Amino acid sequence: LEAGRFYRGLEEKLAIAQRARNKTQVKTLHAKIANRRKDALHKFSRKLANRCGEIYVGNVSSLKLVKTTMAKSVLDAGWGQLKTMLDYKCAHAGIVFKEVDEAYTTQTCSSCGSLPGSRPKG
């Protein structure tokens, strides 16, 4: 899934409507952004559920990433929504869906699971 820029695409129009204090237009633009995001995520999650037999997702906390400088991009991508959609679509289709811990995944050996002494520290 390419990172959708649903909010960023309508950000200028939204700013103009907010400065003009046009509440109905602001509400309409927010609804349009949310609908576009949901539509793209529904289509992507359905493609994944149809194509894959097992889906494993990392336990990246989107709520923690929202507190960083990437907040707008993380919220615009809808990571939390995608995880939720994959969970219930996989349950309905009988597909294995698991959330895995990402701690030390770049350090452990994929075949034996050992932690080499030359791994990155800090």
Side-chain angles (χ1 to χ4, degrees), residues 9 20 25 28 40 52 59-60 63 71 73 100 107 115 122:
Q25 191 176 12
T28 304
C52 302
N59 65 343
V60 176
L63 293 176
S73 298
V100 295
Q107 297 179 11
L115 289 168

Side-chain angles (χ1 to χ4, degrees), residues 85-101:
M85 287 179 187
L86 281 172
D87 188 20
Y88 75 78
K89 287 182 183 182
C90 288
H92 184 276
I95 296 170
V96 175
F97 176 82
K98 290 192 179 177
E99 194 171 324
V100 295
D101 188 18

Side-chain angles (χ1 to χ4, degrees), residues 18 42-43 79:
Q18 287 172 337
H42 272 296
K43 288 177 181 176
W79 288 2

Side-chain angles (χ1 to χ4, degrees), residues 26-36:
V26 170
K27 193 173 180 180
T28 304
L29 286 170
H30 276 299
K32 185 182 251 187
I33 292 166
N35 287 338
R36 284 181 180 176

Side-chain angles (χ1 to χ4, degrees), residues 1 3-4 9-10 16 18-19 27 40-41 47 55 62 76 90 92 97 99 103 120-122:
L1 176 65
L10 292 173
I16 291 168
Q18 287 172 337
R19 282 194 300 268
K27 193 173 180 180
L41 291 176
K47 281 181 188 175
I55 297 176
S62 56
D76 204 13
C90 288
H92 184 276
F97 176 82
E99 194 171 324
K121 311 249 186 334

Side-chain angles (χ1 to χ4, degrees), residues 102-110 113-122:
E102 286 195 346
Y104 305 111
T105 54
T106 59
Q107 297 179 11
T108 56
C109 176
S110 60
S114 67
L115 289 168
S118 62
R119 69 181 185 269
K121 311 249 186 334

